[in-house]
Amino acid sequence: MAGIKALISLSFGGAVGLMFLMLGCALPIYNQYWPLFVLFFYILSPIPYCIARRLVDDTDAMSNACKELAIFLTTGIVVSAFGLPIVFARARLIEWGACALVLTGNTVIFATILGFFLVFGSNDDFSWQQW
């Protein structure tokens, strides 16, 4: 039952984050849909870590190069997701208020993705692979 509550709270967090992203795009005072390009970063961010977890045997207690590279690539993707709206605002493609809404949405979405891996990422009885 704890897994169901975690899944519901994570889906609520994802919905709130996407709401902030959509508000940054669709409010009449902003009305620019350039910030939707951060959706690519939301999709790309968990991929390196998921691939590394499949390739790496977790019996070794020491950190290995594959996991470190995956974390480095994930960090680059997350930083790019935060940088893109700022670049758009500096180039005057979007307003600064829309940039703030998108950055808020980024924070919520990436916290939700992190929460997903913390809750369902362990290799115990209840994992995300069941879903």
Side-chain angles (χ1 to χ4, degrees):
M1 191 64 174
I4 300 296
K5 289 180 183 177
L7 188 64
I8 290 172
S9 64
L10 288 172
S11 64
F12 179 73
V16 169
L18 287 175
M19 178 198 65
F20 279 119
L21 176 63
M22 290 301 149
L23 283 176
C25 295
L27 282 177
I29 58 174
Y30 304 134
N31 201 23
Q32 293 291 325
Y33 290 90
W34 288 106
L36 286 179
F37 280 110
V38 299
L39 289 174
F40 292 120
F41 296 115
Y42 297 162
I43 294 168
L44 290 177
S45 65
I47 291 175
Y49 190 69
C50 288
I51 291 172
R53 284 189 54 203
R54 292 280 185 186
L55 294 176
V56 173
D57 185 21
D58 281 337
T59 57
D60 187 17
M62 299 293 289
S63 178
N64 59 16
C66 186
K67 273 191 159 179
E68 295 293 328
L69 178 65
I71 292 171
F72 176 76
L73 292 174
T74 302
T75 304
I77 292 169
V78 170
V79 168
S80 297
F82 280 96
L84 185 66
I86 296 171
V87 170
F88 283 164
R90 295 270 303 158
R92 303 214 187 266
L93 289 174
I94 64 173
E95 300 290 328
W96 283 104
C99 179
L101 285 169
V102 173
L103 291 177
T104 304
N106 280 350
T107 304
V108 173
I109 290 287
F110 286 124
T112 303
I113 293 171
L114 176 66
F116 179 82
F117 281 107
L118 290 177
V119 170
F120 298 110
S122 62
N123 293 329
D124 56 358
D125 296 337
F126 192 78
S127 68
W128 63 274
Q129 295 161 345
Q130 294 176 351
W131 300 97

